[in-house]
Amino acid sequence: MNSPTQSSETIDVNAQRDAADPPRPASIELKILLWNTWLLPSLITDRLAATRARAISPLLNAYDIVVLNEAFSNKKALLAETSHRHRYTPPAPMGRVVGSGLLFLSKHEIVETGWDRFARTAGVDRFAAKGVGYVVVQVEGLGKVQVFGTHMQAGASKGSQGARKAQAVQAGEFVRRERAKGGDGEKHAVMVFAGDLNMGPRMDEAHERISVHYVDKEDAKARCEAYDGMVGRAAGLVEVECEQGEEYAGDICRFLVKGVEKVCGEVKVRYEDLKGKDGLRLSDTKPLCLTLTIKEEPDIVKSES
């Protein structure tokens, strides 16, 4: 009996499988940008909002998810050169001069959104529909990532302090409620909370060192207490260490996270050096980037397999 011979046309099934399903890289980076774009009506900024919006647009493409504050004007120019297919802008209610100024962009599919407009505002913030919103994005190889965004009350007046404290309570409770709603929230691989908070963690217990954004020690104390209240109500949110630690310590634009230990080998925040041509100042606020380096086999994936 003749032994079988292998034809030159024989198909290597294993090779086909490898080609169809290339090995997953050792790690994947998910970059999330937070930026207060200062796109207020030109008359109350530098009268260059449209020019700045056009310059900002292509710079956003280096990031997987983008959370923008003060994107009130020139949205067409702002989005003109972005490659993010998925977008979410919270609804603007009747009776407000402008909307929330909050804009989410994502290269990953947005599968869920949520929004809660602040019940209390003060000063000029009463003309805007500020609040806290979120998107849930589906990231291949990781699962669902929930990203909250907000821009909270500005100012140091008694009315502003009271409004910000109320907003901090509302934001913290909204995060906790939406995170746990229907028992599904905790299945999200990771949660990120980002925004221009107009407050932050205390730099020292006695408030001897305070943020340059605060008026005095009493202002610092009130803002830090409001911040602590929000974080406590949100249950489990933690700060992320920044590479430029001293500068970030007093910043009011913040990233907080939850659940990263299950999926990320490294988590870091850094300021991004994004500039316009010919020295054009793009915003009055520095952009921040949160980079999540995702493990080859996240613990959450292992537990669900």
Side-chain angles (χ1 to χ4, degrees):
M1 181 176 176
N2 295 329
S3 59
T5 58
Q6 186 177 42
S7 165
S8 60
E9 296 180 357
T10 299
I11 298 173
D12 188 335
V13 177
N14 291 326
Q16 266 199 341
R17 184 181 298 114
D18 291 342
D21 301 307
R24 193 173 185 268
S27 63
I28 298 173
E29 281 192 344
L30 188 69
K31 291 188 174 183
I32 304 175
L33 182 74
L34 167 64
W35 199 358
N36 183 324
T37 53
W38 197 38
L39 291 177
L40 301 166
S42 287
L43 289 175
I44 57 175
T45 55
D46 58 358
R47 299 178 182 269
L48 294 173
T51 301
R52 291 190 288 104
R54 286 192 292 270
I56 289 171
S57 185
L59 300 178
L60 304 179
N61 294 329
Y63 307 93
D64 302 290
I65 301 169
V66 177
V67 181
L68 299 180
N69 291 146
E70 289 193 1
F72 290 113
S73 68
N74 298 284
K75 284 187 181 179
K76 186 175 181 179
L78 181 63
L79 298 173
E81 295 187 53
T82 58
S83 59
H84 302 81
R85 295 176 55 197
H86 309 281
R87 303 166 182 171
Y88 173 61
T89 303
M94 297 292 291
R96 290 293 187 276
V97 176
V98 292
S100 66
L102 187 62
L103 176 61
F104 295 88
L105 306 176
S106 177
K107 293 182 179 179
H108 303 276
E109 182 184 4
I110 295 175
V111 296
E112 182 185 337
T113 63
W115 172 244
D116 194 23
R117 184 165 65 87
F118 290 137
R120 184 176 173 183
T121 52
V124 295
D125 279 10
R126 288 178 293 181
F127 296 108
K130 285 189 172 183
V132 55
Y134 70 83
V135 295
V136 176
V137 300
Q138 186 72 38
V139 180
E140 185 177 356
L142 175 60
K144 293 179 180 179
V145 176
Q146 190 173 28
V147 181
F148 286 83
T150 189
H151 186 186
M152 302 180 77
Q153 178 71 45
S157 69
K158 184 176 180 180
S160 295
Q161 297 285 16
R164 187 164 44 248
K165 183 176 181 180
Q167 290 174 10
V169 170
Q170 186 176 340
E173 291 179 348
F174 179 69
V175 169
R176 182 174 59 185
R177 183 171 68 247
E178 293 302 308
R179 183 72 173 159
K181 186 173 64 177
D184 183 64
E186 293 300 335
K187 294 180 182 177
H188 299 156
V190 66
M191 190 194 80
V192 174
F193 186 92
D196 184 339
L197 307 183
N198 276 299
M199 61 182 187
R202 62 196 69 226
M203 298 179 72
D204 64 57
E205 290 300 318
H207 300 290
E208 295 299 330
R209 297 170 62 234
I210 65 172
S211 167
V212 296
H213 300 280
Y214 304 162
V215 174
D216 52 31
K217 289 174 68 171
E218 289 305 309
D219 182 31
K221 181 180 179 181
R223 296 196 197 218
C224 293
E225 287 177 354
Y227 172 86
D228 290 343
M230 182 190 74
V231 173
R233 284 176 172 80
L237 282 177
V238 295
E239 284 276 347
V240 181
E241 184 176 348
C242 181
E243 293 183 9
Q244 299 100 331
E246 185 62 27
E247 182 177 5
Y248 186 62
D251 206 335
I252 54 178
C253 293
R254 314 295 302 182
F255 271 113
L256 296 98
V257 297
K258 182 177 180 180
V260 295
E261 68 282 352
K262 296 180 181 179
V263 297
C264 299
E266 185 178 21
V267 182
K268 62 183 180 181
V269 170
R270 63 169 290 110
Y271 290 102
E272 296 291 272
D273 188 20
L274 303 181
K275 296 180 179 178
K277 294 181 180 179
D278 301 320
L280 175 66
R281 183 191 185 200
L282 297 180
S283 175
D284 63 350
T285 305
K286 287 186 178 182
L288 279 168
C289 178
L290 170 70
T291 301
L292 305 177
T293 303
I294 302 163
K295 297 176 184 178
E296 182 176 1
E297 287 189 79
D299 294 343
I300 193 166
V301 173
K302 292 178 184 177
S303 64
E304 293 177 355
S305 60

